[in-house]
Amino acid sequence: MKITAITPFILHVPVTGSMIQDSTHTISHWGVVGAQIDTDTGLSGFGFTGTHAHLASDQLITRCIESCHAPLLIGEDARDIRRLWHKLARNPALQWVGRAGITTLAHAAIDIALWDLKGKAAQLPLWKLLGGQVRDKVRAYNTDIGWLSIPDEQLVAGAARAVEDGFTGIKIKVGSSVERDARRLAMVRDAIGPDVTLAIDGNGKWDLPTCLRFCRLAEASNVYWFEEPLWYDDVKGHAQLARQSNIPVALGEQLYTPDAFAEFFAQQAIHWAQPDVTRMAGLTDVLQVCDTAHSFRVPVAPHAGDMSQMHVHLAYAHPAVAVLEYIPWIKDCFTEPSEVVAGHFRLPQEPGAGTTPTAAAWARFRQPAH
Ligand code: 0YR
Ligand code: MG
């Protein structure tokens, strides 16, 4: 299965309600920035990374795919996923200038497209290729009801509606002010009752004293995890918080390498790991993190940079994954949307990684790749 062409693409897809905010970002669209890999078998694979849809930086990713990674891949056997992963990780054009960041996001798109091809060639959904179903159901938690930009009453109503719709987990954003966020958290807990898991996400905004002050107020609300309480790379800060609060600590959506995760595991700084195939160098890298997490008995809750199109396969196939994030912004762009029914993700059936865009999405959301 020889690679004959690699074509980058960019889609900008609107978020729910035209705008959302967390503690650090205001966004109107999700960027689906990726690569189509064609082969001499006639099969094409698709892979993508997730961005905040800034065309200028999205075009740096597509440029990196096309100018730096693609020349190393044309003519190669698409089935050699791990060998090609290492070839790109040692790309002479990139290793000196970009061991993380845009180069990694570009690598992610390619690695995922290769997994998609492998599934299509075998006529199997990715979860089957990864070793089969290790669980009957994958529990979903809803993040899309919990943005900081949602006013209090709407937040409470949205949380209650999500529970009525069958969700047994939700997540709300924090990181505005300790008092406001603690009040909103208590209101939501009140509205959803004691049986629904309720996580919070600070997106790296606060410092340790602020987090400790917040945690004291939040402990009464039975918080499932506190995600990115501190700056993403701060291992010792998270280790301290993990020791000083009763609320479990989660992070990983901003980590690029297995080495970064290894440090958090080794320092016992996190209770939950949240790797993302669109942030790390693809599924190949995330599988390694999931295996390590499993050895440390740390549960994995993959972050929704892919809006769970690929992670749903991982979640069905890897024993470390405990729960999966649900944000519905881009699902209808794909031939098999990642759907939640009665609070659980449907088991994908189509061959591949769930990354094939529909013609309609292509026509509607495509942006210039250069
Ligand atoms: C919006 N999920 C997250 C979005 C989301 C971010 O900035 O990118 O909130 O990825 O933290 O857990
Ligand atoms: Mg997050």
Side-chain angles (χ1 to χ4, degrees), residues 171 173 201 203 227-228 253 303:
K171 184 167 86 187
K173 295 291 178 178
D201 187 354
N203 290 96
E227 176 172 328
E228 295 194 325
E253 68 179 74
H303 169 253

Side-chain angles (χ1 to χ4, degrees), residues 115-346:
W115 280 103
D116 185 46
L117 270 170
K118 201 180 184 85
K120 284 171 174 166
Q123 296 190 291
L124 295 171
L126 180 61
W127 59 264
K128 189 79 178 168
L129 213 62
L130 292 176
Q133 232 181 308
V134 296
R135 53 178 53 86
D136 291 342
K137 290 179 177 184
V138 169
R139 190 166 78 90
Y141 76 86
N142 190 322
T143 296
D144 202 33
I145 53 89
W147 305 107
L148 275 186
S149 45
I150 300 176
D152 293 3
E153 290 108 87
Q154 238 173 286
L155 175 74
V156 170
R161 201 165 341 105
V163 173
E164 273 167 39
D165 288 347
F167 283 97
T168 58
I170 61 175
K171 184 167 86 187
I172 67 168
K173 295 291 178 178
V174 299
S176 58
S177 83
V178 166
E179 290 69 27
R180 173 180 186 250
D181 294 339
R183 181 169 37 90
R184 283 158 63 89
L185 176 66
M187 285 166 61
V188 168
R189 172 52 83 198
D190 222 41
I192 62 178
D195 298 334
V196 174
T197 64
L198 173 55
I200 56 176
D201 187 354
N203 290 96
K205 180 75 173 219
W206 282 336
D207 57 20
L208 185 59
T210 309
C211 285
L212 287 170
R213 200 153 66 81
F214 181 78
C215 283
R216 277 195 294 277
L217 297 176
E219 271 169 25
S221 297
N222 189 17
V223 174
Y224 197 49
W225 70 59
F226 189 174
E227 176 172 328
E228 295 194 325
L230 301 163
W231 183 252
Y232 325 121
D233 301 317
D234 181 3
V235 179
K236 65 183 177 339
H238 285 95
Q240 240 173 308
L241 183 63
R243 278 192 288 275
Q244 290 179 34
S245 159
N246 293 324
I247 299 178
V249 173
L251 61 70
E253 68 179 74
Q254 294 278 342
L255 302 186
Y256 287 97
T257 63
D259 302 79
F261 276 97
E263 199 53 26
F264 279 94
F265 295 141
Q267 302 301 324
Q268 298 184 298
I270 49 174
H271 300 93
W272 287 87
Q274 302 179 304
D276 187 329
V277 297
T278 70
R279 169 74 61 188
M280 304 191 77
L283 178 65
T284 302
D285 237 0
V286 166
L287 284 171
Q288 186 182 328
V289 169
C290 287
D291 289 345
T292 309
H294 201 48
S295 306
F296 277 89
R297 300 291 157 191
V298 172
V300 172
H303 169 253
D306 69 327
M307 300 298 151
S308 301
Q309 283 298 127
M310 312 146 215
H311 287 155
V312 66
H313 293 267
L314 178 72
Y316 269 105
H318 201 290
V321 179
V323 64
L324 190 57
E325 186 164 20
Y326 175 77
I327 303 176
W329 301 335
I330 67 169
K331 67 184 176 62
D332 294 322
C333 294
F334 299 97
T335 54
E336 188 177 35
S338 160
E339 294 279 6
V340 170
V341 178
H344 295 84
F345 280 93
R346 258 199 1 227

Side-chain angles (χ1 to χ4, degrees), residues 9-14 30 32 329-335 337 355-367:
F9 63 85
I10 300 173
L11 309 178
H12 284 178
V13 186
W30 195 250
V32 178
W329 301 335
I330 67 169
K331 67 184 176 62
D332 294 322
C333 294
F334 299 97
T335 54
T355 48
T356 306
T358 63
W362 215 244
R364 195 148 164 230
F365 300 126
R366 193 108 187 247
Q367 300 290 320

